[in-house]
Amino acid sequence: MSPTKNSDPYGGSPLGWKVDEFHRPPTRMERFRDWIERLPKARLYVGFLLITWLLLTALIGLDSRPLGTFGFQEENRQYQVGNVAGEDMFAPRSVTYEDPVATREARDEAAQEAAEAYQQDERISEQVVSDVPEFFDEVREIRGSEAPADEKALRAEEAAPFYLTESVIQSLIFAESEGLDDAERFTVENLEELYGSTAVADDSLEETPAAVITVSEGRERLSQAAGRDASGEVRELVDALSRGFLEPDYVIDRAATQEAQEQATSDVEPVTGRVQQGERVLARGEVIDEEDVTQLEALGLLGSSNSWTVLLGTGLVVGAEMGVAWYFLERFGKRILRTNAIIRILLAASLTVLFTGVARVFMAFSFNPYLIPLAGLSILGTILLGPRLMFLMVVISSVNIGIIGGNDFFLTAALLLSSGFAIYTVVRVGSRTELLWAGLFIAVVTSIVTFAVSLIGDSALTVALWQGALGLANGLLSLMIAMALLPLLENAFNILTPMKLLELSDPGRPLLQKLLRKAPGTFSHSMQVGNLAENAAERIGADALLARVGAYYHDVGKLEHPGYFIENQISRMNPHKTLSPALSARIIKRHVKDGLDIGRAWNLPREILDLIAQHHGTSRIEYFYRKALEESPAGSVREPDFRYNHRPKSKEAGIMMVADTVEATVKSLEKPTPKRIEDVVLQTIQQKLEDGQFDDCELTMREIHEVGEAIHEALIGFLGPRIEYPEKEQKASGSTPETEPAGRTS
């Protein structure tokens, strides 16, 4: 961006200051402010918004690890199951989360309690019936072998799929072939009959349908059937073998059971856990388990990788905030940013980014987010920028910090309420002592708000009390930050505050001391005008302190040529006697420009510079103008050469113009009686009105007349009553009004 035409309405250039006893070279910050003010406004505002948008988006949306923002970095390995915690970690807020361990246990229990589904499996009965002939065929093969009897018995025992008594084994080896065939036939028939009439369930099954019998009951039926079919050795074989081969065919239906378990599992709602605000989630030296990791993730303390979609969403939210800010400044900027608009917008953006960065640092170091000193932003911004703009900044910052804190609505609410209250508290603070008491009150209110928000978040009373203590610490920290930064920001950005005005009002300041030594008459005049202006400003509700301080410095330009002004010509020759009226007027008029140059050199705020520039309005330097008319040919005198250049625009400038003129005029009166003072005040106001000096001023007609009344009353109080001396007393004493001062009481 290239510099444009000087933005200073008075044509001054601080970069061209000379250096002498009244001037000093500009500081780097002053050069920077001058450079900023000379940039094209439209591009500058757009640049401010874009840079602020980028910085806020980065601070809010970017992960603390560079690659983590774009999803290229793995999760934080420090807090994995089985690791040992290296530090204590406390919950910055109350949060409800899904407990995976408890949920899994509840679902496992529900699956175990789900009723098992059973069905009759015909394949089992068919397999049992088919196993009987296979067993008898193997027995026949053993019987037909040439092995010894003992070996045959052992092989028969091994061939049986169940335990056989010695007598049954002997019968299988040595029974008649016909008896063995009968045993096989009866065993198969009895099993087929039993399986055909009912289902057989295991004895462990507690509840069975009426059509289902247990294995024990089935074996009893098989024993009865064996007794009916045969006797003797054959009966014993049929009984033992049919009982042994019997197996349950009423078995678990795996598919149906699994479906029932899955249904029971799905019916179990996730088990939620809760962490209270301020509760210790992780203790140093503790082995981290799955529940610890879940709690840290729910609290957003793991710093897991952000996806680019989160960054996109953050950018859109911040963009919406910047849009609101743009509309606000477009709509109300002229009313709330009357002076130093560009510098004030730069300061507002800087403070917003600064405190968002502070919030990011607090979260990065795992400090409790309720310690974030956003009320400090309210204190600073309200004093430096005013309550309207500050409220917009607080709303934006509260939302942004809530997002940084894991989309914590309670955090946003607490910061917004406490910071909003801080704006209301410091809006009329006038001194640093008042600021201290206001800050202590803000700390108490912040404590109460934080305690209340913690209770709303369903925290335990002890936790809420701890949060209240943190809120108190927040308020005190905000106060300390505000008191530390306020003088720095006042000077760096040259913002006028009530505290700065009080400092400037000290007559012991170096510039006023120079005025006292070099131009004592001007100093006395300035102090008197300050008192008159303050009294008048109080009468109409204007800024009385600004009016008084502005009056102290309004004639500081007379330091350059103090001897050319009548109040400093005590026992001195009047240099104007040897000058032409035009040159004298030029010298007199120059004290305004010199005052601006000296004011800039001493880093006076813009509001004071405005009063220096406007305290004469465009009034005519009447004495030298009339003298020029008398001495110069007709038509050769240009009236603009005898007029000042800038009409008053503020109420304070209008008040000072009247007070300055009236004070100087009254001082020239031989006998300033109350009536004469009143006439001077009325005449001055009437002349200023007719000359259009109040045309650009914010003063109403009623206020102008109230200003005149206040100045009249103040002058009478200052001067006291006057005694009218008889003419003959004056002659008798041999004195005249010019040589004998009027009597005065104080």
Side-chain angles (χ1 to χ4, degrees):
M1 300 180 189
S2 59
T4 60
K5 187 178 179 180
N6 189 352
S7 60
D8 191 335
Y10 310 119
S13 177
L15 299 181
W17 292 335
K18 57 184 178 180
V19 179
D20 56 23
E21 61 175 325
F22 304 130
H23 301 79
R24 60 173 176 76
T27 64
R28 291 181 179 179
M29 190 62 194
E30 290 165 356
R31 290 180 182 274
F32 173 73
R33 288 202 314 263
D34 180 76
W35 176 74
I36 287 291
E37 290 178 345
R38 291 166 184 272
L39 293 174
K41 288 187 178 180
R43 277 190 287 171
L44 191 61
Y45 290 153
V46 172
F48 280 165
L49 287 176
L50 287 178
I51 293 173
T52 304
W53 177 81
L54 286 172
L55 291 174
L56 289 179
T57 301
L59 287 171
I60 299 167
L62 289 182
D63 194 276
S64 57
R65 296 160 290 125
L67 295 179
T69 296
F70 305 100
F72 298 145
Q73 186 166 325
E74 296 182 3
E75 295 289 330
N76 193 334
R77 294 185 178 276
Q78 182 181 359
Y79 300 102
Q80 289 188 337
V81 176
N83 288 357
V84 178
E87 60 180 338
D88 291 339
M89 298 193 74
F90 297 88
R93 64 183 184 280
S94 297
V95 66
T96 301
Y97 64 96
E98 182 178 335
D99 189 339
V101 176
T103 300
R104 186 167 56 249
E105 291 176 352
R107 287 175 176 171
D108 290 344
E109 183 179 353
Q112 292 175 2
E113 293 178 354
E116 295 177 327
Y118 287 83
Q119 66 175 355
Q120 187 175 5
D121 192 347
E122 295 180 355
R123 292 173 299 176
I124 295 177
S125 60
E126 292 174 356
Q127 183 64 43
V128 168
V129 172
S130 65
D131 287 344
V132 175
E134 292 178 0
F135 172 73
F136 275 97
D137 289 342
E138 190 171 356
V139 168
R140 289 187 181 96
E141 183 180 350
I142 294 171
R143 283 163 59 99
S145 68
E146 296 179 357
D150 292 343
E151 185 178 345
K152 289 181 179 180
L154 181 60
R155 289 174 60 187
E157 183 179 3
E158 291 176 351
F162 46 84
Y163 173 75
L164 294 177
T165 63
E166 185 67 25
S167 62
V168 172
I169 293 174
Q170 293 297 323
S171 296
L172 287 172
I173 298 301
F174 300 108
E176 297 291 335
S177 297
E178 292 181 359
L180 191 64
D181 293 340
D182 289 340
E184 178 184 359
R185 178 167 54 83
F186 289 139
T187 300
V188 171
E189 289 177 352
N190 290 344
L191 288 171
E192 288 179 340
E193 181 182 357
L194 180 64
Y195 280 129
S197 62
T198 185
V200 180
D202 192 88
D203 287 337
S204 62
L205 190 61
E206 296 180 358
E207 297 181 2
T208 59
V212 178
I213 63 174
T214 63
V215 171
S216 299
E217 188 177 351
R219 287 170 179 166
E220 289 293 331
R221 292 187 183 185
L222 290 173
S223 295
Q224 294 173 5
R228 291 193 302 268
D229 294 337
S231 61
E233 188 177 36
V234 175
R235 187 195 67 78
E236 183 180 359
L237 282 174
V238 173
D239 183 19
L241 294 174
S242 59
R243 289 170 62 94
F245 275 106
L246 181 64
E247 289 185 10
D249 66 342
Y250 189 71
V251 293
I252 295 175
D253 185 346
R254 298 295 178 186
T257 300
Q258 184 177 359
E259 183 179 350
Q261 290 176 342
E262 290 176 353
Q263 182 62 42
T265 300
S266 63
D267 289 341
V268 176
E269 296 292 334
V271 179
T272 58
R274 181 165 181 79
V275 178
Q276 297 286 348
Q277 193 176 52
E279 178 183 343
R280 186 167 66 178
V281 180
L282 206 58
R284 182 178 182 180
E286 176 185 345
V287 178
I288 300 172
D289 57 24
E290 186 178 358
E291 185 175 2
D292 294 330
V293 174
T294 302
Q295 291 178 347
L296 292 175
E297 288 177 345
L299 291 166
L301 298 178
L302 285 188
S304 58
S305 299
N306 293 345
S307 66
W308 66 269
T309 54
V310 174
L311 188 61
L312 175 62
T314 302
L316 293 175
V317 170
V318 176
E321 294 171 351
M322 295 299 98
V324 172
W326 180 275
Y327 172 79
F328 183 86
L329 293 174
E330 185 72 19
R331 181 72 174 81
F332 303 107
K334 292 183 179 179
R335 273 191 268 175
I336 63 177
L337 300 173
R338 297 183 180 181
T339 59
N340 295 339
I342 295 176
I343 296 299
R344 290 174 184 268
I345 292 174
L346 173 62
L347 176 59
S350 301
L351 287 175
T352 303
V353 172
L354 172 64
F355 278 83
T356 304
V358 169
R360 170 57 73 185
V361 170
F362 270 61
M363 299 304 296
F365 285 95
S366 300
F367 295 146
N368 192 302
Y370 287 87
L371 281 173
I372 296 174
L374 189 61
L377 172 64
S378 296
I379 297 172
L380 284 171
T382 302
I383 294 173
L384 295 171
L385 303 171
R388 295 183 183 178
L389 181 58
M390 191 63 251
F391 190 78
L392 173 66
M393 294 166 58
V394 163
V395 171
I396 291 175
S397 299
S398 299
V399 172
N400 293 342
I401 294 174
I403 296 173
I404 293 175
N407 302 319
D408 190 345
F409 166 78
F410 290 110
L411 175 61
T412 297
L415 293 177
L416 182 58
L417 289 173
S418 57
S419 301
F421 184 84
I423 295 174
Y424 169 79
T425 305
V426 302
V427 70
R428 295 192 180 279
V429 166
S431 66
R432 301 198 188 275
T433 302
E434 291 178 353
L435 176 59
L436 174 62
W437 286 109
L440 295 175
F441 187 49
I442 290 168
V444 174
V445 172
T446 303
S447 174
I448 295 172
V449 169
T450 308
F451 172 74
V453 169
S454 184
L455 289 180
I456 294 173
D458 199 24
S459 296
L461 183 60
T462 54
V463 174
L465 289 172
W466 170 246
Q467 289 297 105
L470 291 178
L472 182 64
N474 181 328
L476 296 176
L477 181 60
S478 298
L479 174 61
M480 289 188 290
I481 290 175
M483 296 196 74
L485 291 181
L486 185 58
L488 298 177
L489 295 176
E490 283 176 346
N491 293 325
F493 290 89
N494 200 22
I495 301 294
L496 186 64
T497 66
M499 281 74 79
K500 186 70 175 287
L501 278 174
L502 287 175
E503 293 174 1
L504 290 173
S505 68
D506 181 10
R509 288 184 67 85
L511 182 57
L512 292 180
Q513 284 298 300
K514 288 181 181 294
L515 185 65
L516 174 61
R517 291 193 298 270
K518 298 292 183 178
T522 299
F523 177 85
S524 176
H525 162 71
S526 298
M527 296 296 110
Q528 190 80 327
V529 172
N531 292 327
L532 297 177
E534 181 181 33
N535 191 61
E538 287 179 351
R539 176 72 64 90
I540 66 169
D543 191 335
L545 185 56
L546 174 60
R548 174 161 63 91
V549 176
Y552 287 178
Y553 294 89
H554 79 286
D555 273 344
V556 74
K558 294 180 180 180
L559 278 171
E560 291 285 2
H561 307 287
Y564 284 85
F565 299 90
I566 192 169
E567 66 267 22
N568 300 314
Q569 294 173 2
I570 303 173
S571 302
R572 296 181 185 177
M573 183 186 74
N574 188 346
H576 290 286
K577 292 181 178 180
T578 61
L579 301 178
S580 66
L583 181 57
S584 294
R586 194 176 306 121
I587 294 173
I588 296 298
K589 192 165 72 169
R590 183 177 173 81
H591 85 276
V592 173
K593 182 180 182 301
D594 291 338
L596 290 172
D597 288 341
I598 293 174
R600 293 190 191 97
W602 287 81
N603 200 29
L604 294 181
R606 173 56 62 86
E607 291 84 351
I608 303 297
L609 295 179
D610 288 341
L611 295 179
I612 292 174
Q614 300 168 15
H615 75 274
H616 281 299
T618 57
S619 300
R620 192 166 58 199
I621 305 174
E622 198 67 30
Y623 176 83
F624 292 109
Y625 176 68
R626 294 187 179 278
K627 186 176 180 181
L629 290 178
E630 294 174 359
E631 297 179 358
S632 303
S636 62
V637 178
R638 295 181 66 254
E639 184 181 6
D641 293 339
F642 294 84
R643 283 189 179 273
Y644 293 96
N645 298 323
H646 304 286
R647 286 175 178 164
K649 290 184 170 49
S650 64
K651 291 185 178 182
E652 293 77 15
I655 291 171
M656 189 186 303
M657 179 179 65
V658 176
D660 182 40
T661 304
V662 169
E663 197 278 340
T665 305
V666 169
K667 190 177 291 184
S668 67
L669 294 178
E670 294 181 3
K671 297 179 180 180
T673 62
K675 181 64 174 66
R676 289 180 179 179
I677 294 173
E678 182 180 6
D679 292 340
V680 168
V681 171
L682 294 177
Q683 184 179 5
T684 299
I685 291 176
Q686 186 63 33
Q687 288 176 349
K688 299 295 184 185
L689 284 171
E690 293 175 354
D691 200 23
Q693 298 303 313
F694 296 107
D695 289 356
D696 298 335
C697 187
E698 298 175 347
L699 290 170
T700 64
M701 288 298 298
R702 179 176 180 179
E703 289 174 337
I704 291 172
H705 289 293
E706 289 181 352
V707 165
E709 292 175 1
I711 291 175
H712 174 233
E713 293 172 1
L715 279 171
I716 293 176
F718 295 153
L719 298 176
R722 297 286 178 162
I723 299 174
E724 292 284 351
Y725 290 98
E727 188 69 20
K728 62 181 181 179
E729 289 185 6
Q730 291 182 3
K731 290 181 180 180
S733 62
S735 63
T736 65
E738 286 78 11
T739 59
E740 181 72 20
R744 181 184 302 179
T745 59
S746 59

